Amino acid sequence: SQQGEEDPQALSIQEGENATMNCSYKTSINNLQWYRQNSGRGLVHLILIRSNEREKHSGRLRVTLDTSKKSSSLLITASRAADTASYFCATDTSGGSNYKLTFGKGTLLTVNP
Amino acid sequence: NAGVMQNPRHLVRRRGQEARLRCSPMKGHSHVYWYRQLPEEGLKFMVYLQKENIIDESGMPKERFSAEFPKEGPSILRIQQVVRGDSAAYFCASSLEGLANYGYTFGSGTRLTVV
């Protein structure tokens, strides 16, 4: 598997339900970020969690990071149709670069009204 | 306060032609990054530039691809003698400083189709 691999590849839920997406990575990281991409558009930065943080919240988003398991999860609560998009995790790998992100293939979330 | 501006949004080129993709970073941002996204894939790093300097081009193919970020004007990603495999979405991002505390701001991308 590659660095920053999301799971599941696709997720379909009803409006109002919670959506959980997972991300696994291989190498040590400085931080991990989640991005959203609407179809045909650019990526929008959602949240950044540093390697020394375990949980972070932003509105309806909750991100956890478990560096011992090299995994992260993104929870979207009370989902809305407008949350339909692809979600990518991206890792800022160690080595002093501090600028190069490695993206996974993404989770396609569909929220049905 | 415009975000990262990329143009054109869509670009069609015949095999063998040149493609020029432009990126204007957010106001005040001096760090520019180019990424490529193939269909059904995540983004892949290509190059990192600061004004008049290429900092890291480790993700750029060795041939036909070049990038610049001049003192004045937008950053340019140039692909010479395009081939069908170059068809992809090319995204530019900018940042104030390194990634330590902030995420990228991405443009909407240029979708290159080589026919």
Side-chain angles (χ1 to χ4, degrees):
Chain A
S1 62
Q2 57 181 322
Q3 179 85 345
E5 190 165 308
E6 294 89 347
D7 165 57
Q9 288 188 326
L11 180 61
S12 181
I13 60 174
Q14 295 299 123
E15 211 165 22
E17 294 180 338
N18 295 341
T20 300
M21 289 160 272
N22 302 298
C23 169
S24 60
Y25 58 92
K26 288 186 168 182
T27 63
S28 60
I29 60 172
N30 295 323
N31 63 63
L32 185 144
Q33 306 177 32
W34 285 90
Y35 288 80
R36 183 186 73 225
Q37 184 180 34
N38 289 86
S39 180
R41 306 301 298 269
L43 276 73
V44 174
H45 178 254
L46 295 176
I47 199 164
L48 180 152
I49 187 165
R50 296 186 185 84
S51 59
N52 62 351
E53 297 176 311
R54 292 296 166 257
E55 188 171 310
K56 206 160 183 180
H57 297 255
S58 176
R60 293 184 295 112
L61 305 180
R62 173 176 168 252
V63 168
T64 61
L65 179 65
D66 186 336
T67 53
S68 66
K69 294 181 180 178
K70 291 187 168 58
S71 67
S72 172
S73 67
L74 171 67
L75 168 68
I76 304 174
T77 59
S79 64
R80 305 166 182 167
D83 294 329
T84 295
S86 290
Y87 291 82
F88 295 88
C89 70
T91 51
D92 177 10
T93 56
S94 309
S97 66
N98 211 32
Y99 58 78
K100 188 186 298 186
L101 290 183
T102 301
F103 286 83
K105 293 184 178 182
T107 292
L108 176 59
L109 173 66
T110 303
V111 181
N112 302 299
Chain B
N1 183 18
V4 177
M5 305 300 292
Q6 288 187 250
N7 65 81
R9 289 291 304 275
H10 299 275
L11 182 62
V12 179
R13 284 287 177 266
R14 296 188 185 280
R15 280 178 294 171
Q17 291 185 320
E18 178 180 287
R20 278 182 178 251
L21 288 62
R22 289 176 289 278
C23 168
S24 297
M26 276 190 73
K27 188 176 181 180
H29 285 190
S30 60
H31 299 243
V32 167
Y33 317 83
W34 285 93
Y35 281 75
R36 176 165 64 176
Q37 184 179 33
L38 295 169
E40 311 295 325
E41 297 280 331
L43 276 69
K44 297 284 192 278
F45 171 82
M46 297 183 76
V47 62
Y48 164 36
L49 308 108
Q50 294 181 25
K51 284 282 187 182
E52 300 184 278
N53 283 305
I54 296 174
I55 308 302
D56 182 346
E57 55 182 350
S58 59
M60 292 264 279
K62 294 287 186 281
E63 297 176 351
R64 303 187 297 107
F65 284 72
S66 62
E68 62 176 7
F69 189 15
K71 188 176 179 181
E72 302 290 337
S75 175
I76 305 288
L77 178 67
R78 182 182 177 207
I79 311 171
Q80 295 177 291
Q81 299 174 336
V82 295
V83 301
R84 288 236 171 94
D86 297 332
S87 295
Y90 292 82
F91 291 96
C92 168
S94 72
S95 67
L96 190 60
E97 294 178 351
L99 283 177
N101 299 309
Y102 312 102
Y104 285 143
T105 300
F106 277 93
S108 295
T110 293
R111 278 145 189 86
L112 172 66
T113 302
V114 179
V115 297

